[in-house]
Structures are given as structure tokens and as C-alpha cells.
Amino acid sequence: MSDRGNAATMVAVLDVGKTNVKLSAADADGTIIETLSVPNPVLPGPPWRHHDLDALGEWVFETLASLSRRHVFSAFVASGHGSGGVLTGADPNAGDGAVLPMIDYEQPLPADIRDGYAPLAGSFLDRGSATMHGATHQARQLYWMEEREPDAFGKARWYLGLPQYWAWRLSGVAASETSFLGAQSHLWNVAADRWAPIVGARGWQRLMPPFAKAWQTLGPIRPELARRFGLPGALAVLTGGHDSSLNHYRYHAAGLRDFTVISTGTWIVGFSGSTPIERLDEHRGMTLNSDVFGNRLGGILTMGGREFSHIAGNDPPADDVPAEVLARLIGERMFALPSFGDDDGLFPGSAAAGRFVGPPAESAMERKALALLYCALLTAECLDALGDDRLVVLDGSFLRNPLYAQSVAALLPEREVRFNLDSYGVAAGAALLAGHETRRHPAPLPLGEPADLTELKPDLCRYGAEWRNLARAAPSKRDEFEQTKGSFHG
């Protein structure tokens, strides 16, 4: 393995999400020039529901070849969600390289796998998170594979996180990387900078390749791949990293320090490098992650997008929420209280206990306004949990409605709230890795400042304090307040 000596002019970025996979062409500043995408295919099994790596591989290589005819790439880098990895053989030429299918992390676990894994998982710092739903954690997936398919498991050579799997497919070089293993894999103790006890106890260290930095070149593209698909033979393949950690790196590359970033979508994900370990509470969705440098990142996770959908309904209006609608529901004390999904999020014991208090929302726009305000309140709660960084950066899909960032800023008058409207933060951060060692100036990053909700701010702050008291109360205690019967969806 060797480090890159020259900055890339154009970078091919593969972003592997749970639902979709994107391949982008980016310039040296992280600006995305072109993106192509495909659904991430899932097959029903046996032996378990799994991703179709063979079909996806054909798409990745053919699309990379197509993009290479329009752009001159000097580097390839992959990012991926933290709940996926592949158990491989030694030969990347052997089909998709996997010795067992890659588990779809959203499927339920067999009871014996769930119960057998629990006592092996270690402490909170070993895991970096609470034990989450389904087959979320990579260590639990490995345990499932070994218990169900011991013969195939015994023949495996490597266990590779998603970005490193694709780097291996392209370069033939296997690597481990800290930001990905530090994303609640349950394999890596970020605090102690060592493998979690389950790795040694199960003899899995033989599967773990040497570590490489996310920006490090593993090698050029394999000659046989270059010939078969017409790919550029000099393309440098980088190690890659965890998607949210690469989004965080994007802000670091722009020169930001002592900041908290909140990314919004299906999940609200918060990261801060200044959160003390003792502040982390696994019962409130808090996590211990790693940045690409191996430093600790205090994290928090809550399914904001799913909560938004529960409150707003299946077909919310496309128009922005008017400020007067927000003012009306605040004035009439309409509340949505967590949690509507099957996860506690930030509020222990609240799973599936979501409720509405106050007058019912009478229109689709009021439901959308209530959902937007609820997510702004969740964001403020995330920021309070993570610590006291003065600078807060918001990004992701919630920013499509200006009142989201405005409400967060109003709820946090002591903070400096900024927002980034670019929807390609992960890909931009991944692309910026290619210039990490040669960058002499901060990467460009236009940040916006939310408009001030001057007239609404005092009422919103009082509403926020009341919401917090209600949200933090046990669900049974909420009956002290007026309860709306039925559902806003009726």
C-alpha cells in the first residue's frame, strides 16, 4: 500500500446506500459534475435476504467505464452505510468474491442468533452504540454467518466493510479502515483503538486485513478489470470510508473546527468531535464513532425522516410551510410527542408511544408544519445531547423547507447555526480524500445563514420548553395533558 503523491483532478465516487447506489464524477474541490444511480438489489435467500453483489458489480464496472469516456479520472473512492460488509475469499476474480451472501441488515434475526449474540457483544464502548434492530451490526452478521454456515465461513479469507469491499474488487488489495469499523460495527472499540473482545473470542482476527487510511491508495485498478470493461489502467483506488464520517470530513477539509454537523433524511445523524465519552448515553441513541483520522466522534441517531412521515402523512403538500401556519399551531399548543416508530430514539421507553396533544391538525399543511417543527425539536434535542459546540451546520433533505433551519436557529439562540443546501455531501467528502495530502487551502464550502424568526422566536422557545417536558415524561404521565383522540391521518 502506498500513499498518493498527487492530487486528483477528477475523482470517481461510489456511494453505496441501503436503498440506492450512486456513481459520481467529482472535481478536485468536491463539486459533483455528474451522477448515475441504480436501486441496490436485494434477493430473498436462502440462506438469508441478501444484496445481489454480482448484478451490482456489473453495473458499477460498466457505469465506471461509461463515465470514464466522459471524464478523465485519476482516482476511485467508495463510501458506504455502516451496516454492511462482505465475507470474501482470497480471489477478487472469483465471481463477486463473496464466500457467503451479504446480509440485508433490515431483516429480523432468528431468535437463537439474537439471543446467542447478546452476551458476546461486550460493553457500550466495545460496541459504540446500543444494540439496534434487525441485523444492523456487522459483528452480529458475522456471528449469524458462522453459526449457520460454518464450512463456508471457515474458507473465508477477508471480512471487508462495504467501501473496502469495492476497493478490493477494483484493486485486489484488502484493507480495514477506522471510520467504517467505528460506525457501530461492534467489531472495533474506538475509545481504546483496538478490536472489540468478540473478534478475539471468535477467532475473527484472521479475517481482518491491515489498516489503511481512508485517503490512502491501495493500488491501481486490476489489469483484468481494465481490459474487460475498458477502464483506465492507471486509476488509483483509495481505501474509502463510512458515509457519515466522510460527510463530516467534508467540513473538516473546508477548515471548520469545533463544530457539530447534523445531517437529515431517513435518519437524523449528529457528529461532534468535542463530545466527552462520559456524556454518551446508549439509551438515548448516542454513539461513539470515528472520523477518518481515527479520532473519536460523539454521535447521535434518530429516525427523523420516518417520524416526519408518521406525522405529515403519506402525501404532504409540496409547498413550503408558511410561517403563519407554524405560528398558529404554536399558539394553539398542538404537539406531536415521540416516538411514532418502533425505536425509542432519544426518549427511552417511547417506542410506538407517539401521541398528539392539543387541537387536531385540520389540513395537510398543518400536519406538515407539525412534522417539520417536531423534527426541528428533535434536532435541538440532538444538539443538546452532543454538547456545547457554538457552530452548528445543518445539511440534508429537511433543508428543502426554509422553516426547518429557521426553527432550529430560533430554538438555539446561543449557537451559530449555518446550513448547507448541497445534497451530495457524502460524495463531496469522499472526493476530497483524493487531495488530502496535497491540499494547501481549505476546500470551498458555501454555507447559508437562516433568516431570523424574530416575531415568532419567544413563543417558539416557550413551546420548545413545554414540548421537551412532555417528550421527556413517561408516556403514561402525558395523560395529565389534554389528549387528542384518534389520529391526524383520519
Side-chain angles (χ1 to χ4, degrees), residues 6-32:
N6 298 306
T9 52
M10 288 292 287
V11 184
V13 180
L14 178 67
D15 180 12
V16 183
K18 174 61 176 67
T19 305
N20 296 295
V21 178
K22 300 174 184 177
L23 190 61
S24 301
D27 68 16
D29 288 335
T31 302
I32 306 304

Side-chain angles (χ1 to χ4, degrees), residues 83 105-109 130-137 140 267 303 306 342-343:
S83 295
Y105 77 85
E106 288 195 304
Q107 66 191 300
L109 283 171
T131 299
M132 299 166 71
H133 65 283
T136 297
H137 308 289
R140 194 158 50 175
W267 291 90
M303 295 195 83
R306 298 273 173 91
D342 57 4
D343 185 77

Side-chain angles (χ1 to χ4, degrees), residues 93-332:
N93 286 312
D96 61 16
V99 299
L100 284 169
M102 177 190 161
I103 292 174
D104 172 6
Y105 77 85
E106 288 195 304
Q107 66 191 300
L109 283 171
D112 64 312
I113 299 299
R114 182 190 64 238
D115 297 341
Y117 175 77
L120 304 174
S123 68
F124 168 67
L125 292 182
D126 291 325
R127 292 179 274 107
S129 74
T131 299
M132 299 166 71
H133 65 283
T136 297
H137 308 289
Q138 295 174 59
R140 194 158 50 175
Q141 295 170 20
L142 277 172
Y143 176 75
W144 190 357
M145 292 178 185
E146 187 173 31
E147 289 294 301
R148 287 291 191 270
E149 302 288 343
D151 291 342
F153 193 94
K155 297 173 184 176
R157 180 62 189 95
W158 301 118
Y159 179 73
L160 303 173
L162 272 177
Q164 291 72 54
Y165 166 75
W166 289 105
W168 176 74
R169 289 285 303 273
L170 265 74
S171 71
V173 179
S176 298
E177 191 274 328
T178 53
S179 75
F180 197 81
L181 286 169
Q184 293 77 62
S185 71
H186 289 194
L187 294 167
W188 184 249
N189 184 318
V190 173
D193 198 33
R194 60 167 173 77
W195 295 109
I198 192 172
V199 175
R202 302 289 294 192
W204 293 344
Q205 280 176 302
R206 70 176 182 84
L207 300 171
M208 306 301 170
F211 278 85
K213 298 296 186 183
W215 57 84
Q216 194 170 333
T217 296
L218 300 181
I221 195 166
R222 294 189 289 118
E224 54 270 32
L225 268 186
R227 286 193 300 269
R228 179 182 170 192
F229 291 96
L231 298 171
L235 190 69
V237 180
L238 311 190
T239 309
H242 176 230
D243 52 13
S244 295
S245 299
L246 293 181
N247 187 56
H248 183 271
Y249 171 74
R250 179 197 197 186
Y251 296 105
H252 185 279
L256 273 61
R257 300 293 183 268
D258 301 321
F259 66 99
T260 300
V261 60
I262 297 283
S263 299
T264 62
T266 300
W267 291 90
I268 295 176
V269 181
F271 277 160
S272 170
S274 60
T275 306
I277 283 181
E278 56 272 15
R279 193 178 182 116
L280 301 176
D281 182 353
E282 65 176 304
H283 303 295
R284 298 195 66 216
M286 301 193 76
T287 63
L288 180 60
N289 286 64
S290 170
D291 66 14
V292 297
F293 307 104
N295 301 317
R296 302 167 186 170
L297 280 178
I300 196 159
L301 288 167
T302 189
M303 295 195 83
R306 298 273 173 91
E307 294 286 282
F308 182 98
S309 296
H310 277 291
I311 299 167
N314 295 325
D315 191 23
D319 294 342
D320 291 345
V321 173
E324 57 269 23
V325 175
L326 192 69
R328 184 164 64 250
L329 68 85
I330 289 171
E332 295 183 6

Side-chain angles (χ1 to χ4, degrees), residues 388-468:
D388 305 316
D389 287 334
R390 178 167 175 77
L391 176 60
V392 172
V393 181
L394 307 174
D395 65 29
S397 61
F398 288 1
L399 292 172
R400 293 170 188 161
N401 196 302
L403 273 179
Y404 167 72
Q406 293 167 19
S407 298
V408 173
L411 290 163
L412 301 168
E414 303 303 317
R415 310 255 192 153
E416 181 183 338
V417 177
R418 299 291 182 265
F419 63 84
N420 181 10
L421 289 174
D422 187 348
S423 60
Y424 292 95
V426 171
L432 287 167
L433 288 174
H436 175 77
E437 294 182 311
T438 56
R439 187 174 299 112
R440 298 292 176 259
H441 304 285
L445 179 68
L447 294 179
E449 182 175 358
D452 192 4
L453 293 176
T454 306
E455 295 182 3
L456 192 55
K457 187 182 295 185
D459 290 340
L460 179 54
C461 288
R462 284 191 290 270
Y463 177 97
E466 187 171 356
W467 179 88
R468 175 177 287 189

